[in-house]
Amino acid sequence: MKQKKYRITLTEHQLMLIANCVEDCHRFAAGQTEMNNTLISANFDYEWRTRKHLKEIHEIAFPELLPGQSYDWAGNGCKDKYQRKFIAETYPIYREIFHKILNVGVYTHPTMTCEEGGPLPIIEEIND
C-alpha cells in the first residue's frame, strides 16, 4: 500500500526545532536518555537535577544496557521490534535535516539508511 505524502512549509528555525526534538526522541529510545536538545532549549532552572534523574531513567528503562551504553542509529541489538523500528525510522528524519541545513562536520557525510528506517525525507529550500 502506497503511503500518502505531505509537503509543509517551515522556516529554517522551525525545521531545526523538529530535527532537535526528533533527535532527542530517537536517542532516548536508543538508550541515550540525556534529552540534551530539550534541556538546552528549555533552560531548566534545575538542569543538573533533571540530568541526574534522566541518567537514573536509563537504568530503569534499559536494564539490558550497561550505564552509558545504547543501541546504534538503526536500533541494532534492540530485542523489541517496535522500539527498534522507531529508532530506525527516526534517525533519517533528524539526520537528513542536519545534513541539508547544517552540512558541517559529521553532517557533511550522507545520511545512513537501512531497510527498516525507510526512505530519506526530501528537504528542499524554497527561494521566495
Side-chain angles (χ1 to χ4, degrees):
M1 183 169 106
K2 189 174 179 181
Q3 287 192 11
K4 290 182 182 181
K5 292 185 178 183
Y6 297 88
R7 187 176 312 221
I8 60 175
T9 303
L10 302 165
T11 65
E12 185 173 307
H13 177 73
Q14 291 170 322
L15 189 57
M16 290 303 294
L17 284 172
I18 290 170
N20 286 328
C21 290
V22 173
E23 180 184 19
D24 273 359
C25 290
H26 164 82
R27 290 182 181 280
F28 191 94
Q32 297 175 15
T33 57
E34 294 87 2
M35 302 295 287
N36 285 323
N37 295 315
T38 302
L39 290 179
I40 290 167
S41 298
N43 196 23
F44 281 79
D45 287 337
Y46 300 102
E47 183 179 336
W48 63 270
R49 186 168 39 175
T50 304
R51 288 192 184 281
K52 177 180 174 258
H53 289 300
L54 286 169
K55 192 173 186 177
E56 292 168 356
I57 287 173
H58 181 279
E59 297 168 11
I60 298 165
F62 304 96
E64 71 281 9
L65 298 175
L66 297 172
Q69 188 180 28
S70 62
Y71 301 116
D72 72 5
W73 64 273
N76 290 313
C78 181
K79 291 181 176 85
D80 184 282
K81 67 180 182 178
Y82 300 106
Q83 182 180 358
R84 185 176 57 251
K85 186 165 180 61
F86 180 83
I87 294 167
E89 289 178 329
T90 52
Y91 174 79
I93 295 170
Y94 84 84
R95 179 53 175 75
E96 186 65 3
I97 292 171
F98 290 162
H99 175 63
K100 296 289 184 177
I101 304 301
L102 300 177
N103 200 21
V104 296
V106 298
Y107 302 118
T108 58
H109 303 287
T111 301
M112 296 182 291
T113 61
C114 64
E115 187 176 330
E116 199 162 33
L120 291 175
I122 298 168
I123 303 163
E124 299 171 327
E125 184 177 339
I126 297 172
N127 295 316
D128 288 339

